[in-house]
Amino acid sequence: MAAVWVGAAALVAAGWRGRRSPHRLMRGAALWTLKDVPHYSRQCLMVSRSLCSARCDSNEKTFDKILIANRGEIACRVIKTCKKMGIKTVAIHSDVDASSVHVKMADEAVCVGPAPTSKSYLNMDAIMEAIKKTGAQAVHPGYGFLSENREFAKCLAEEDVIFIGPDTHAIQAMGDKIESKLLAKKAKVNTIPGFDGVVKDADEAVRIAREIGYPVMIKASAGGGGKGMRIAWDDEETRDGFRFSSQEAASSFGDDRLLIEKFIDNPRHIEIQVLGDKHGNALWLNERECSIQRRNQKVVEEAPSIFLDSETRRAMGEQAVALAKAVKYSSAGTVEFLVDSKKNFYFLEMNTRLQVEHPVTECITGLDLVQEMIRVAKGYPLRHKQADIPINGWAVECRVYAEDPYKSFGLPSIGRLSQYQEPIHLPGLITYGSDRTEALKRMEDALDNYVIRGVTHNIALLREVIINSRFIKGDINTKFLSDVYPDGFKGHKLTENERNQLLAIASSLFVASQLRAQRFLEHENSRVPIIKPQVATWELSIKLHDEVHAVVASNSGPTFSVEVDGSKLNVTSTWNLASPLLSVNIDGTERTIQCLSREAGGTMSIQFLGTVYKVHILTKLAAELNKFMLEKVAEDTSSTLRSPMPGVVVAVSVKPGDMVAEGQEICVIEAMKMQNSMTAGKTGKVKLVHCKAGDTVGEGDLLVELE
């Protein structure tokens, strides 16, 4: 799908398209939404008729067959454009991905190895063999995996296979942060003050940081995607940052070299999409605002930016093009900048590939970037001038991850999908609108209608971000999440009116289920006569957030009249209790809710305004009797350290008998190639250590016990 997704960011789960059979997710993987490029084009309302009408020139000969060296959503995205252009496609897959959607969409498919990506999607020998076997003339790498691998591009060139991306020189130059910064300076692109060499050790890192002046940013030279990056405010954090960043860099990129730059406090992250050809032409396709981040990784993107004026936009675009021309860039790429509050901007890095967030640019310009990449790779010149590139409307993308937003704004989560339903029934679903307000409202509706069961996801956080008053005003920066939620994300905070709406909905669901049970009994051929209770009103007791509310409900057909703490509400719905989504009208206000579970003991989980709330509903009599039930004593967890996420133990810093202080590092867990320091919750002596370096641990696994 080449549009603004309701969910984006990784490549799994695209093989599971709403069917009810379970599908295992990778750690921290994202769940995708939209898949259809022609649908995207229609929903973007043909934002530029002149550009769109030029998309499929049947007289332009490109390639007969393209192999997509990727999987999941981006592979589906490339295949869609290839079909539109009349190009046959070859999918590659691991043995466990044989039934994935991208495999079924392609004209041919080749297995390139077992499940581990190092043995399949990163297996260059197997992929080269697949190219020879199928006779593919070109390879589109998607993003991730081998998309920025210079050796892969070189191997293709040696076999006269076209790499649909920039040449090896540009990949190498822009893939190395040290070299790219020097090239940017030479091209007169604004750069961040810092040390341009390679930092040798922690002592040198401290010396350099002091010279630059705190705070500083420590980053992997070969890095990207937020991996290998740490902010340091003092010497101690610089030493820790050097250690963790070098470990992450080695793990993620096989290159532990680091550099240090001045940290621009409270910056925006704004990137410019560029497009170049092999004839020396290059364009800038406007900007994308990518400031909403956690752990230096993007969460929400939009185009255009609410912050930039036309003069700053032009200056950033021209510098991005200058850099692209300096390295003779020929494909779609992205030049990323940090922008301060006074609109001063500084070069951050260049991504020599298609970006996850490329659809928002496509929405406001009308260009199909995959098609343009294919044309350029074949040798055609760009068919548009800078003056032809419009900004038409607004587009928003939210990345729906399989992670827990209540833990550090999103620690990886694993599980097995039990139900998955994309909100493709909504009009204008790609969250493109004539203005920002319309685009955000469509995103809000789409998130409410996105059904994901079986794994923890971050929809609650995404929805809160896009309705936050600061976000709506455009008052954002890369520290937005920590500034808005200094104590961590806690979910949506209900107003009194919203709380009453939730209680009224829960009451109506409870009574509706009771009435359905009665109807079921009435149709049973029981030899024992059933005494039908004549209940005009239901007196209920509902517990929410440790507060108990008295509720009285009655119904007339599909409408329930509910009195909550003195407020009267009328709730109307179809009350289809088997549906994962329920559209509810509360005194004229439309809400889409999801009832995730209803237990016999009265506990109900309802997704309302993006957040899942647990309510405990009992009849008035049952509530009175419930007071005599014993409560389970909460476990004392102060003496134990459990893993907050699934991952691999990188290092263990203590042994039995050691004394540790509160906040002291106990061990390091790696999840999604990010290093996470686990610390002691109190001062005490280590009693038992239950893990060692190299162990794979799950969420909640016991790591260390203190006496």
Side-chain angles (χ1 to χ4, degrees):
M1 168 60 203
V4 178
W5 333 96
V6 196
L11 307 167
V12 297
W16 193 88
R17 302 273 296 166
R19 297 185 294 275
R20 292 183 180 271
S21 58
H23 176 82
R24 183 164 295 282
L25 288 179
M26 293 168 56
R27 293 190 187 116
L31 303 179
W32 289 88
T33 9
L34 308 175
K35 310 299 194 277
D36 186 64
V37 172
H39 174 71
Y40 142 65
S41 300
R42 293 194 301 272
Q43 295 296 347
C44 280
L45 308 177
M46 304 296 283
V47 293
S48 174
R49 294 182 187 277
S50 61
L51 294 180
C52 290
S53 63
R55 282 178 172 178
C56 292
D57 185 346
S58 58
N59 296 321
E60 270 192 355
K61 180 65 176 175
T62 54
F63 303 102
D64 296 321
K65 186 183 292 186
I66 290 176
L67 180 142
I68 297 97
N70 219 301
R71 64 175 176 185
E73 185 60 37
I74 185 55
C76 295
R77 162 73 184 90
V78 175
I79 291 170
K80 286 289 185 179
T81 287
C82 288
K83 288 182 180 294
K84 181 177 69 174
M85 298 176 71
I87 300 170
K88 292 183 179 180
T89 54
V90 179
I92 63 168
H93 63 89
S94 66
D95 52 10
V96 295
D97 289 338
S99 298
S100 293
V101 175
H102 78 284
V103 174
K104 296 179 180 179
M105 286 178 62
D107 297 293
E108 300 175 60
V110 179
C111 181
V112 290
T117 57
S118 61
K119 298 180 180 180
S120 51
Y121 298 100
L122 292 172
N123 186 341
M124 284 191 278
D125 290 339
I127 295 173
M128 294 303 298
E129 186 62 33
I131 294 168
K132 293 177 183 178
K133 178 180 178 181
T134 59
Q137 302 161 309
V139 172
H140 195 299
Y143 40 66
F145 292 142
L146 298 172
S147 62
E148 295 178 282
N149 189 299
R150 182 172 62 93
E151 292 304 316
F152 181 57
K154 184 178 178 182
C155 288
L156 293 175
E158 290 172 352
E159 297 296 329
D160 293 324
V161 177
I162 302 298
F163 179 74
I164 302 176
D167 62 25
T168 55
H169 166 69
I171 294 174
Q172 179 179 5
M174 293 295 100
D176 187 300
K177 283 186 170 59
I178 296 173
E179 185 178 353
S180 65
K181 186 174 180 180
L182 294 174
L183 284 168
K185 282 184 176 180
K186 189 175 180 180
K188 301 189 184 314
V189 177
N190 302 343
T191 57
I192 301 171
F195 179 70
D196 296 331
V198 177
V199 183
K200 297 177 182 178
D201 53 35
D203 289 336
E204 185 178 36
V206 170
R207 179 181 60 78
I208 293 169
R210 288 175 177 175
E211 290 176 358
I212 296 172
Y214 287 110
V216 297
M217 174 68 83
I218 302 169
K219 59 171 66 173
S221 176
K227 297 180 177 68
M229 295 177 66
R230 287 290 191 284
I231 300 168
W233 295 81
D234 54 38
D235 291 355
E236 183 180 355
E237 290 186 359
T238 298
R239 293 184 184 279
D240 288 343
F242 180 89
R243 176 165 63 101
F244 286 127
S245 291
S246 59
Q247 289 173 355
E248 288 176 1
S251 175
S252 298
F253 316 111
D255 184 345
D256 65 357
R257 292 177 303 143
L258 302 178
L259 68 153
I260 299 179
E261 294 176 337
K262 178 69 177 175
F263 176 65
I264 309 300
D265 201 11
N266 298 320
R268 288 173 178 263
H269 186 140
I270 299 177
E271 59 192 27
I272 302 291
Q273 176 74 58
V274 295
L275 184 64
D277 63 21
K278 300 178 185 297
H279 304 275
N281 304 308
L283 301 171
W284 49 275
L285 309 181
N286 304 310
E287 79 280 0
R288 295 187 289 259
E289 173 76 68
C290 306
S291 297
I292 307 299
Q293 303 180 359
R294 52 104 183 91
R295 297 194 300 281
N296 299 310
Q297 293 178 315
K298 302 164 189 173
V299 177
V300 178
E301 298 104 341
E302 59 183 312
S305 168
I306 195 173
F307 183 64
L308 294 191
D309 53 48
S310 58
E311 183 179 343
T312 308
R313 177 179 294 115
R314 185 184 307 109
M316 293 178 69
E318 289 174 352
Q319 288 198 15
V321 164
L323 180 60
K325 288 184 175 181
V327 293
K328 298 180 180 179
Y329 196 85
S330 57
S331 190
T334 301
V335 181
E336 302 192 354
F337 294 94
L338 291 181
V339 186
D340 68 19
S341 59
K342 297 180 180 179
K343 295 188 173 67
N344 298 309
F345 57 90
Y346 306 94
F347 170 71
L348 183 62
E349 64 181 357
M350 184 176 187
N351 291 303
T352 56
R353 54 173 168 79
L354 203 62
Q355 295 268 96
V356 170
E357 60 272 22
H358 75 275
V360 294
T361 294
E362 293 181 316
C363 272
I364 66 167
T365 63
L367 283 171
D368 181 333
L369 291 178
V370 173
Q371 183 177 357
E372 297 304 321
M373 293 176 74
I374 293 172
R375 291 185 70 259
V376 167
K378 185 61 178 176
Y380 289 107
L382 298 181
R383 49 188 168 171
H384 307 300
K385 303 297 183 184
Q386 190 63 58
D388 298 333
I389 307 302
I391 296 181
N392 196 321
W394 213 283
V396 182
E397 171 180 301
C398 287
R399 300 196 185 195
V400 178
Y401 288 105
E403 60 185 23
D404 189 345
Y406 299 95
K407 296 179 179 179
S408 300
F409 302 114
L411 291 182
S413 170
I414 60 173
R416 185 176 290 272
L417 275 175
S418 58
Q419 193 169 17
Y420 181 74
Q421 181 175 309
E422 299 167 358
I424 56 177
H425 64 287
L426 296 178
L429 176 58
I430 48 84
T431 65
Y432 169 84
S434 58
D435 56 27
R436 191 169 186 255
T437 300
E438 184 177 31
L440 289 174
K441 183 61 176 72
R442 286 179 172 173
M443 177 61 78
E444 189 180 330
D445 292 341
L447 292 174
D448 283 343
N449 283 270
Y450 199 169
V451 178
I452 305 167
R453 308 285 170 82
V455 294
T456 303
H457 54 75
N458 67 332
I459 283 179
L461 175 63
L462 295 172
R463 197 182 188 283
E464 282 304 291
V465 168
I466 64 171
I467 67 171
N468 182 271
S469 59
R470 272 188 55 180
F471 179 84
I472 291 172
K473 288 188 295 184
D475 179 17
I476 60 177
N477 55 54
T478 56
K479 293 171 59 182
F480 177 87
L481 291 179
S482 59
D483 286 348
V484 174
Y485 309 106
D487 299 321
F489 180 65
K490 307 296 183 183
H492 180 71
K493 187 176 181 180
L494 295 168
T495 65
E496 183 178 349
N497 182 51
E498 290 169 345
R499 182 205 64 193
N500 289 344
Q501 288 184 359
L502 173 60
L503 296 176
I505 291 170
S507 304
S508 301
L509 281 169
F510 177 83
V511 175
S513 64
Q514 296 294 314
L515 293 173
R516 185 179 70 166
Q518 289 180 12
R519 289 195 297 270
F520 174 77
L521 289 172
E522 289 172 5
H523 288 86
E524 284 290 305
N525 295 321
S526 174
R527 289 178 293 178
V528 180
I530 297 173
I531 301 175
K532 301 177 183 178
Q534 300 296 321
V535 180
T537 60
W538 297 72
E539 294 185 48
L540 306 173
S541 175
I542 306 183
K543 186 177 182 180
L544 172 67
H545 294 157
D546 295 325
E547 293 183 353
V548 177
H549 304 267
V551 174
V552 178
S554 60
N555 81 298
S556 176
T559 299
F560 285 86
S561 296
V562 184
E563 183 175 336
V564 182
D565 294 342
S567 298
K568 293 184 178 180
L569 301 93
N570 294 309
V571 186
T572 304
S573 179
T574 59
W575 305 113
N576 181 359
L577 302 181
S579 174
L581 294 168
L582 205 59
S583 180
V584 179
N585 184 295
I586 311 168
D587 292 326
T589 300
E590 294 290 339
R591 301 289 193 195
T592 298
I593 64 109
Q594 299 183 35
C595 184
L596 278 61
S597 65
R598 295 191 309 275
E599 298 176 7
T603 300
M604 190 181 298
S605 293
I606 300 174
Q607 185 170 312
F608 176 69
L609 302 177
T611 295
V612 176
Y613 297 93
K614 283 194 173 182
V615 295
H616 192 225
I617 308 179
L618 296 171
T619 63
K620 184 178 179 180
L621 175 60
E624 291 173 353
L625 296 175
N626 192 57
K627 297 175 183 177
F628 300 101
M629 300 294 289
L630 294 175
E631 291 188 8
K632 183 179 179 180
V633 178
E635 178 187 0
D636 179 11
T637 60
S638 62
S639 297
T640 59
L641 176 65
R642 295 182 180 273
S643 179
M645 77 207 97
V648 176
V649 178
V650 174
V652 179
S653 308
V654 298
K655 62 183 183 299
D658 287 351
M659 290 298 299
V660 295
E662 182 179 352
Q664 180 179 331
E665 181 177 292
I666 297 292
C667 62
V668 177
I669 304 292
E670 182 180 282
M672 290 300 289
K673 298 183 180 178
M674 299 290 283
Q675 306 275 331
N676 301 275
S677 177
M678 303 292 106
T679 59
K682 71 172 188 178
T683 298
K685 181 184 288 188
V686 177
K687 179 181 178 182
L688 292 171
V689 177
H690 297 273
C691 62
K692 63 182 183 300
D695 284 356
T696 298
V697 295
E699 180 180 358
D701 283 2
L702 183 61
L703 303 175
V704 174
E705 289 182 77
L706 302 179
E707 291 183 355

